[in-house]
Amino acid sequence: MLKLDHLTVIAPSLAEGVAHVRHCIDLDVPFGQRHAYMGTHNHLLQLGDAVYLEIVAVDPEAATPPRARWFGLDDHERVRTDWDEGRRLRGWVARTDAIDWVMAGHPGVFGEKLALPDLDPAFDFTVPNDGSLPRDGAVPSIIDRRGRPRAMAGIADLGARLRSFVLEHPHPGALQAFYDALQVDRPPEIRLAPRLRYRAQIETQAGLKELT
């Protein structure tokens, strides 16, 4: 079974990503880590029940990686267009302990399995060859931490808690059937809308806030 692991705000820069999340939920999300193997960096925030929020962007100080960056971050024009259109909470990641089984059951959907970091792999992650989001972000990227749970102690806990997670999509019926076949625990609620968009309701000390 797949489980909700984390939500991803995909930003043109970390400064813009942090400012957007601050505007939406009135919290300053602390810096997380650099991914030298992907040329990216992030800020991280716990959302309760081993789920967290990631703000991810290209790291301008990192060397260009030998492969396409994850989360479609090499397509700078597309990232900026989505951002300017308000599609900032752009995707999510599901975790599993059986990544090969998931990929075999849905060939061609998630991309290829990468063992990361390259020199001392700690997890496997699915990325299409061109680095794009799988099905434009309508389905999750998949992570397998090889039997080791995510160390949440290293992620800031500012009291935010995820209350609901919605995926708006022009073809909700077909997408719902795909999610049912994936057997996802805590999947997004899928609703009819003209185009793909995510919304998350997050409880904070200042009340219920919406992140988009």
Side-chain angles (χ1 to χ4, degrees):
M1 178 179 286
L2 292 165
K3 294 185 177 181
L4 172 60
D5 190 79
H6 64 277
L7 311 183
T8 51
V9 169
I10 300 171
S13 70
L14 277 189
E16 289 172 278
V18 171
H20 173 65
V21 173
R22 183 191 306 118
H23 173 77
C24 289
I25 66 174
D26 199 26
L27 290 173
D28 279 308
V29 180
F31 182 77
Q33 62 196 55
R34 286 184 160 84
H35 317 108
Y37 49 89
M38 277 291 173
T40 59
H41 53 177
N42 65 20
H43 283 228
L44 301 172
L45 178 70
Q46 289 196 41
L47 294 178
D49 299 323
V51 175
Y52 62 98
L53 171 67
E54 176 182 31
I55 305 166
V56 63
V58 171
D59 184 350
E61 298 181 3
T64 301
R67 62 170 66 89
R69 291 178 174 91
W70 49 18
F71 301 119
L73 281 164
D74 279 325
D75 191 344
H76 307 293
E77 183 176 346
R78 177 64 185 277
V79 171
R80 172 56 68 185
T81 297
D82 285 341
W83 190 262
D84 290 345
E85 291 177 352
R87 299 199 301 159
R88 300 175 177 185
L89 177 58
R90 192 62 178 84
W92 65 288
V93 177
R95 66 179 179 270
T96 183
D97 293 323
I99 193 169
D100 291 326
W101 180 85
V102 173
M103 295 179 69
H106 306 279
V109 174
F110 302 105
E112 65 175 314
K113 180 181 74 173
L114 302 179
L116 300 171
D118 304 89
L119 297 180
D120 186 19
F123 63 95
D124 299 304
F125 198 92
T126 61
V127 184
N129 289 332
D130 62 359
S132 61
L133 293 166
R135 293 197 176 177
D136 194 33
V139 301
S141 300
I142 310 298
I143 190 169
D144 187 330
R145 296 193 175 90
R146 302 183 174 189
R148 295 184 292 270
R150 177 67 166 86
M152 300 300 289
I155 300 178
D157 187 353
L158 304 182
R161 295 295 179 263
L162 181 65
R163 295 306 181 211
S164 68
F165 179 37
V166 172
L167 167 55
E168 298 177 347
H169 197 273
H171 306 292
L175 193 57
Q176 186 65 63
F178 181 81
Y179 270 85
D180 291 344
L182 275 180
Q183 301 180 41
V184 181
D185 180 46
R186 296 186 67 186
E189 177 188 350
I190 302 172
R191 299 177 182 171
L192 175 64
R195 65 180 310 186
L196 189 155
R197 182 186 292 271
Y198 283 101
R199 302 181 185 275
Q201 296 288 322
I202 297 174
E203 188 74 44
T204 72
Q205 293 182 353
L208 190 64
K209 308 286 187 176
E210 183 176 73
L211 177 64
T212 60

